[in-house]
């Protein structure tokens, strides 16, 4: 009850806060690249005298409230000269800074060393950041710089095998990773079935991988978040850079629309290895290539308002003898408006469109199959810099989905084959969140938040009705699961709610600073994933189908806890990060034996809801400075899946016991290093070693009607051979680069130096001579030398 006494107390509290705030003022502004006016993400702004600081947000903005007085401000960022400047704080002021790269020197400020040591003060953990400059130094297959391949060198990150698309984080599936490019969702992150990623490295400004401790502003996936931002483009001058390789080339052009106010960026890549196939009589009708396009427009309306329009378009084309053609790819568009309400309140409004298309033209059977997923997303995010010790992030968003599980039509309109459209599916996913970053004391910092997500499965659809609402039955005599026969159907009109869900998703992170060089951290997060990838393969392929949660397919709910120890030593020259984690995921899909997933109108008849658990220990030792630097990472982990019986008479999948998931890799070792010999030559090397992927081999055979038939044991109780390879690279930068606008470099690389024949798969077949089953190993890469030329002007 509100009384006069309460009102008086509230007024006194406000007046005390006001008088306190009068002794404090806010410095705010934007930090940019001195050469291009490109805003910089994650720049550290520190006041040493107060032992406080802040980092720039995704648009280069910072805000810091400090007491009145004279201070030294330090601004540091990886790859740029660290600067110091004396400031007199006696009113709210804007301080914009332009940082020079390590190639140049700012004469008007003091230059100090730029050290990339681990931030032990922030409660942020289970997060990896990689600079594009570091990624470009890594040797990769076929000489193509690859953002996703670089992630595989981090602890807790693996792949599904040689040439496989996607990546796995802490024992989760590739479909459990939320991949964002300028806030737009990317549903398939690979070109040419995993050989290349969809991200043009020349167009990328910043990337961050969250493996745990995920902030409340992210949602929709159960395992991780990969957040990537494109460059804005230079508003100071016209620049071109690119590269020419053996099988692909790229080019990027950027420049001012209006000098110092607006800029454009456009970049493209394309492979052309398929052109060489046409020289061979045997391969001239086969083809495999990709192309993509990155675009961005940026415009500064005034000091408080900025507009951005960014987009991506990519396609892969795979064809065999003109009888089988597969085309797939992503399309995204994002219109964003940054508005600064005050020196303490920053906002971003985004309108986002994302489309993933995949289609097949099966000429040998006379039909085409098109499918895909589209989403329309509106989000409004706020960052409130309340004080130097307390900051709030909050916002809302809503995503409308359209799923096309399959449109089947004849290749020839006159063929007589009927057109068939599987029921399209629709869904709406709104959410709101709030997250606080709170520095409790000089030693304790916490981050805590809550996300409230909802999901509505919408018509227009015809839904099967089953006895006891059970689309999968168990035959106790044969000890197998079987499809249930529908007893009826029900039709839902378009956008009518068929099923709804709502979940609270708490997030919490904690950091305790033991001293200036070491700290311990802990985190917990719950993530809910309402979209399911229908696939029983180990990595995403163009044949995978996304589907929304409904009455039969429940949302995945992931809970993860992590504990870590972080230390910098030898004055920041070395950093050590040690983390342990435990993650459990409810409602992870499993499939009955013999499940047919493609163009299945009743997918609920072949799936069961199981659970996934993973746990492990991650170590990373990094050398941050000097001519020779890099890191060693090691992960010891376990990932298991279980689908127990639903009743006492059911055995469940794999007899209801836990079994190795296809993402289980007990040991994962990665070593990456770079050495700068001089201004002309630099070298890099990577070594990767992973435990072999779990598979199911035959454990016996029997004869039926004169045919030898293999029999199989428990799921994933066998493994492929261990996966490992060593890659090296050398970069030649001509000395004349320093004296001219055109700058070029030659990159020589060898992938798989000692020609390891890693098994992409092992299949079993019947030997025509002996009649016995035999194992056949399939390897994709042997030793692969490559050369590429990179340029900019």
């Amino acid at each position: 009850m509100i009384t006069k006494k309460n009102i008086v107390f509230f007024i006194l509290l406000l007046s005390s806060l006001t008088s306190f705030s009068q002794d404090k003022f806010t410095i705010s502004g934007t930090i940019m690249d001195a050469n291009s006016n490109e805003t910089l993400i994650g720049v550290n702004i520190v006041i040493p005298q107060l032992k406080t600081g802040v980092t720039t947000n995704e648009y280069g903005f910072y805000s810091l409230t400090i007491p009145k007085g004279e201070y030294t401000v330090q601004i540091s960022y990886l790859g740029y000269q660290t600067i110091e400047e004396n400031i007199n704080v006696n009113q709210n002021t804007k301080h914009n800074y332009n940082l020079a790269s390590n190639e140049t020197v700012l004469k008007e400020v003091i230059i100090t060393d730029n050290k990339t040591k681990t931030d032990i003060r922030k409660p942020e953990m289970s997060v990896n950041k990689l600079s594009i400059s570091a990624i470009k130094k890594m040797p990769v297959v076929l000489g193509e710089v690859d953002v996703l391949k670089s992630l595989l060198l981090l602890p807790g990150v693996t792949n599904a095998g040689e040439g496989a698309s996607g990546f796995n984080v802490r024992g989760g599936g590739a479909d459990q990773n939320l991949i964002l490019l300028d806030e737009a969702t990317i549903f398939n992150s690979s070109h040419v079935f995993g050989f290349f990623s969809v991200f043009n490295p020349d167009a990328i400004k910043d990337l961050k991988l969250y493996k745990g401790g995920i902030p409340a502003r992210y949602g929709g996936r159960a395992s991780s978040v990969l957040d990537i931002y494109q460059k804005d483009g230079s508003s100071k001058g016209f620049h071109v850079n690119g590269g020419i390789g053996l099988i692909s080339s790229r080019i990027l052009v950027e420049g001012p629309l209006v000098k110092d106010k607006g800029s454009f960026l456009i970049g493209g890549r394309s492979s052309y290895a398929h052109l060489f196939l046409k020289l061979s009589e045997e391969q001239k009708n086969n083809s495999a290539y990709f192309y993509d396009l990155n675009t961005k427009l940026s415009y500064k309306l005034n000091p408080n308002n900025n507009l951005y329009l960014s987009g991506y378009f990519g396609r892969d084309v795979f064809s065999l003898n003109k009888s089988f053609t597969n085309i797939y790819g992503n399309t995204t568009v994002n219109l964003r408006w940054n508005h600064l309400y005050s020196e303490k309140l920053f906002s971003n409004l985004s309108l986002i469109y994302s489309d993933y298309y995949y289609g097949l033209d099966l000429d040998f059977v006379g039909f085409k199959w098109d499918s895909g997923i589209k989403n329309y997303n509106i989000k409004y995010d706020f960052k409130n810099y309340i004080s130097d010790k307390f900051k709030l992030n909050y916002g809302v968003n809503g995503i409308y989905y359209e799923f096309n599980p399959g449109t089947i039509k004849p290749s020839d309109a006159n063929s007589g084959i009927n057109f068939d459209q599987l029921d399209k599916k629709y869904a709406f996913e709104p959410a709101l969140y709030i997250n606080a970053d709170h520095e409790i004391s000089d030693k304790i910092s916490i981050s805590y938040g809550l996300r409230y997500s909802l999901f509505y499965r919408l018509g227009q659809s015809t839904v099967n009705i089953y006895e006891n609402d059970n689309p999968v039955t168990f035959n106790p005599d044969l000890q197998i699961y079987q499809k249930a026969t529908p007893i009826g159907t029900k039709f839902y009109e378009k956008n009518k709610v068929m099923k709804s869900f709502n979940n609270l998703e708490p997030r919490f992170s904690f950091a305790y600073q033991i001293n200036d060089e070491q700290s311990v951290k802990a985190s917990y997060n719950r993530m809910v994933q309402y979209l399911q990838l229908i696939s029983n393969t180990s990595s995403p392929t163009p044949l995978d189908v996304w589907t929304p949660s409904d009455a039969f397919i429940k949302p995945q709910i992931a809970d993860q806890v992590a504990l870590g120890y972080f230390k910098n030593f030898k004055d920041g020259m070395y950093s050590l990060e040690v983390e342990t984690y435990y993650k459990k995921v409810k409602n992870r899909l499993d499939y009955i034996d013999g499940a047919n997933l493609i163009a299945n109108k009743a997918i609920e008849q072949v799936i069961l809801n199981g659970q996934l658990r993973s746990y492990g220990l991650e170590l990373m030792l990094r050398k941050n400075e000097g001519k020779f630097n890099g890191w060693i990472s090691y992960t010891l982990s376990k990932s298991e899946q279980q689908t127990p019986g639903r009743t006492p008479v059911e055995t469940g999948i794999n007899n209801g016991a836990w079994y190795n998931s296809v993402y289980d890799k007990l040991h994962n070792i990665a070593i990456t290093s770079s050495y700068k010999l001089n201004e002309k030559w630099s070298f890099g090397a990577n070594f990767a070693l992973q435990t072999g992927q779990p598979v199911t081999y035959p454990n016996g055979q029997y004869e039926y009607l004169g045919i030898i038939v293999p029999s199989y044991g428990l799921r994933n109780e066998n493994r492929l051979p261990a996966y490992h390879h060593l890659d090296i690279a050398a970069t030649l930068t001509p000395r004349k680069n320093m004296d001219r606008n055109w700058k070029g470099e030659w990159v020589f690389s060898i992938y798989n130096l000692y020609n390891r024949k890693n098994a992409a798969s092992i299949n079993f077949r019947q030997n025509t001579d002996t009649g016995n089953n035999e194992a056949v190993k399939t390897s994709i890469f042997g030793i692969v030398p490559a050369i590429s030329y990179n340029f900019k002007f």
Side-chain angles (χ1 to χ4, degrees), residues 237-291:
F238 183 83
H239 302 285
V240 179
N241 63 285
I244 302 172
L246 294 178
I247 65 170
S248 67
S249 292
R250 65 190 191 278
I251 189 168
L252 182 137
V253 181
E254 57 182 318
L257 292 172
V258 178
K259 192 172 180 61
D260 294 328
K261 292 191 67 174
S263 63
F264 75 90
L265 177 146
I266 180 167
R269 290 189 305 169
S270 180
S271 66
Y272 36 75
H274 64 291
L275 299 177
F276 298 106
L277 297 178
K278 298 184 181 298
L279 302 178
S280 169
E281 188 64 28
E282 296 179 353
Q283 302 291 334
K284 67 178 183 179
N285 292 324
N286 297 334
S287 185
Y289 63 94
F290 73 87
Y291 55 92

Side-chain angles (χ1 to χ4, degrees), residues 59 147 178-189 198-201 203-207 218 225-231 269 292-296 310-314 330-336 352-354:
Y59 298 92
V147 170
L178 177 63
I179 303 175
L180 301 173
L181 179 63
D182 275 353
E183 302 178 336
T185 303
I186 299 293
F187 286 95
N188 190 309
S189 57
V198 300
F199 306 109
N200 183 345
I204 302 304
K205 173 165 62 173
D206 182 84
L207 66 89
Y218 299 109
V225 176
L226 177 60
D227 199 4
I228 301 178
Y229 280 87
Q230 294 187 123
K231 295 167 60 178
R269 290 189 305 169
D292 57 31
L293 180 70
N294 296 78
T295 59
K296 193 166 187 178
S310 60
Y312 170 84
F313 178 82
N330 300 275
T331 302
T332 68
V333 179
N334 186 4
L335 176 63
R336 282 168 290 169
I352 307 167
Y353 168 77
S354 179

Side-chain angles (χ1 to χ4, degrees), residues 185 374-378 397-401 427-431 451:
T185 303
K374 298 177 181 179
N375 71 47
Y376 307 85
N377 185 6
I378 179 171
N397 78 282
I399 307 175
Y400 182 81
Y401 297 97
F428 179 56
E429 182 181 355
R451 183 180 182 87

Side-chain angles (χ1 to χ4, degrees), residues 10 47 725 771:
F10 185 67
I47 308 295
H725 60 87

Side-chain angles (χ1 to χ4, degrees), residues 451-558:
R451 183 180 182 87
Y452 180 55
S453 61
L454 303 99
F455 191 83
Y456 300 94
R457 170 71 165 90
L458 307 174
Q460 170 179 7
S461 291
T462 299
V463 179
N464 291 327
I465 300 174
Y466 300 92
E467 187 175 354
N468 299 322
D469 290 329
N470 191 356
V472 180
T473 62
F474 182 75
N475 188 322
D477 297 326
L478 299 177
Q479 292 289 294
I480 60 173
Y481 286 95
Q482 296 176 320
K483 301 177 183 179
T485 301
I487 59 175
T489 60
K490 183 178 180 179
F491 178 75
Y492 290 85
E493 296 181 353
K494 189 171 182 179
N495 292 329
K496 183 175 180 60
V497 176
M498 302 166 55
K499 181 69 175 179
S500 65
F501 304 90
N502 65 88
N503 285 279
L504 288 173
E505 304 176 40
R507 317 287 172 85
F508 178 79
S509 298
F510 166 89
Y512 175 75
Q513 186 175 347
I514 300 172
N515 53 42
D516 289 342
E517 296 298 332
Q518 55 185 331
S519 66
V520 292
K521 301 182 183 183
S523 69
Y524 163 77
N525 65 250
R526 165 167 286 191
M527 303 286 287
V528 180
Q529 179 169 337
Y530 297 103
L531 305 188
Q532 301 275 11
L533 183 66
I534 303 301
S535 170
N536 57 3
T537 60
S538 58
S539 64
T541 72
L543 298 180
D544 295 331
V545 177
W546 290 87
T547 191
S549 295
D550 56 23
F552 304 112
I553 302 176
K554 299 177 182 179
Q556 298 180 67
I557 302 176

Side-chain angles (χ1 to χ4, degrees), residues 471-736:
V472 180
T473 62
F474 182 75
N475 188 322
D477 297 326
L478 299 177
Q479 292 289 294
I480 60 173
Y481 286 95
Q482 296 176 320
K483 301 177 183 179
T485 301
I487 59 175
T489 60
K490 183 178 180 179
F491 178 75
Y492 290 85
E493 296 181 353
K494 189 171 182 179
N495 292 329
K496 183 175 180 60
V497 176
M498 302 166 55
K499 181 69 175 179
S500 65
F501 304 90
N502 65 88
N503 285 279
L504 288 173
E505 304 176 40
R507 317 287 172 85
F508 178 79
S509 298
F510 166 89
Y512 175 75
Q513 186 175 347
I514 300 172
N515 53 42
D516 289 342
E517 296 298 332
Q518 55 185 331
S519 66
V520 292
K521 301 182 183 183
S523 69
Y524 163 77
N525 65 250
R526 165 167 286 191
M527 303 286 287
V528 180
Q529 179 169 337
Y530 297 103
L531 305 188
Q532 301 275 11
L533 183 66
I534 303 301
S535 170
N536 57 3
T537 60
S538 58
S539 64
T541 72
L543 298 180
D544 295 331
V545 177
W546 290 87
T547 191
S549 295
D550 56 23
F552 304 112
I553 302 176
K554 299 177 182 179
Q556 298 180 67
I557 302 176
D559 292 285
Q560 180 178 233
V561 292
L563 178 67
Y565 171 76
F566 303 83
K567 180 179 175 61
N568 295 310
F569 47 97
K570 289 199 173 181
D571 197 26
M573 179 175 289
Y574 297 93
S575 297
L576 175 66
E577 301 176 13
V578 182
E579 292 192 38
T580 184
Y581 66 89
Y582 180 85
K583 177 169 60 178
K584 191 167 186 178
V585 183
K586 299 178 183 178
N587 304 323
R588 181 64 176 168
L589 289 187
D590 209 340
Y591 304 89
I592 68 174
D593 293 331
N596 180 22
L597 306 180
I598 304 303
N600 191 335
K601 294 183 178 181
I603 199 72
E604 69 274 4
Q605 294 178 342
V606 297
I607 60 175
L608 295 170
N609 289 295
Q611 57 183 336
L612 176 76
R613 70 183 180 189
S614 62
Y615 45 92
L617 175 69
E618 300 172 354
L619 298 95
M620 187 173 185
L621 176 64
R622 188 170 67 241
K623 186 175 185 295
N624 302 314
E625 296 182 87
K627 288 189 174 184
F628 177 78
N629 54 62
W631 67 81
I632 300 173
S633 71
Y634 171 70
T635 306
L636 176 68
S637 62
K638 192 67 183 172
S639 176
E640 300 173 301
Q641 194 160 336
Q642 182 193 42
T643 308
R646 299 165 296 181
T647 65
V649 299
E650 289 188 19
T651 60
I653 301 295
N654 203 59
N655 296 325
W658 288 96
Y659 63 92
N660 295 326
S661 76
V662 292
Y663 328 111
D664 180 56
K665 303 289 179 69
L666 182 62
H667 300 287
N668 178 24
I669 301 172
I671 303 172
T672 183
S673 61
S674 62
Y675 177 71
K676 187 173 182 179
L677 179 63
N678 50 43
E679 295 299 323
K680 188 175 181 180
W681 285 100
S682 60
F683 303 90
N686 298 332
F687 175 74
L689 169 65
Q690 295 178 10
T691 299
Q693 181 182 337
V695 292
T696 305
Y697 291 154
N699 61 359
Q701 61 184 34
Y702 59 92
E703 184 176 344
Y704 179 74
L705 298 178
I707 300 175
I708 302 297
V709 180
S711 61
Y712 293 86
L714 300 177
R715 284 197 184 186
N716 292 342
E717 63 178 349
N718 309 109
R719 290 184 183 274
L720 294 176
Y723 169 88
H724 55 88
H725 60 87
L726 172 65
D727 317 320
I728 60 173
T731 302
L732 169 62
T733 305
R735 297 187 189 278
K736 57 186 177 181

Side-chain angles (χ1 to χ4, degrees), residues 84-116:
E84 291 184 357
E85 185 178 75
N86 295 322
I87 58 173
N88 185 13
V89 179
N90 53 27
Q91 61 180 345
N92 294 337
T93 57
K94 280 192 174 182
H95 287 268
N96 296 328
Y97 293 96
N98 292 320
L99 290 187
S101 68
N102 284 332
E103 298 176 354
T104 59
V105 176
L106 292 177
K107 297 180 180 179
E108 65 272 18
V109 295
I110 301 171
I111 306 299
T112 63
D113 292 333
N114 181 14
K115 298 176 181 178
T116 59

